Amino acid sequence: MTTALRPTATAAARVADAVRTYGVGDTEVRALDGVSVGFPAGRFTAVMGPSGSASPP
């Protein structure tokens, strides 16, 4: 489910154009490529992924 923040909504946190790359050369993986997200104040938001997905290599 995607919910866009209204321009006047108060955001508890926002991220704009996030990029995250793991590895080098032929093993390089772009995990995030220009991701933008806002988390509205007063709402519970969970960000989930597979076990170990947030662990650094």
Side-chain angles (χ1 to χ4, degrees):
M1 176 175 152
T2 303
T3 304
L5 284 177
R6 296 181 312 250
T8 58
T10 301
R14 286 183 196 250
V15 175
D17 299 323
V19 175
R20 179 65 166 122
T21 305
Y22 294 95
V24 180
D26 292 339
T27 63
E28 185 175 285
V29 174
R30 194 161 221 172
L32 299 176
D33 189 7
V35 174
S36 296
V37 65
F39 300 99
R43 291 190 62 186
F44 178 80
T45 303
V47 178
M48 300 171 21
S51 179
S53 62
S55 301

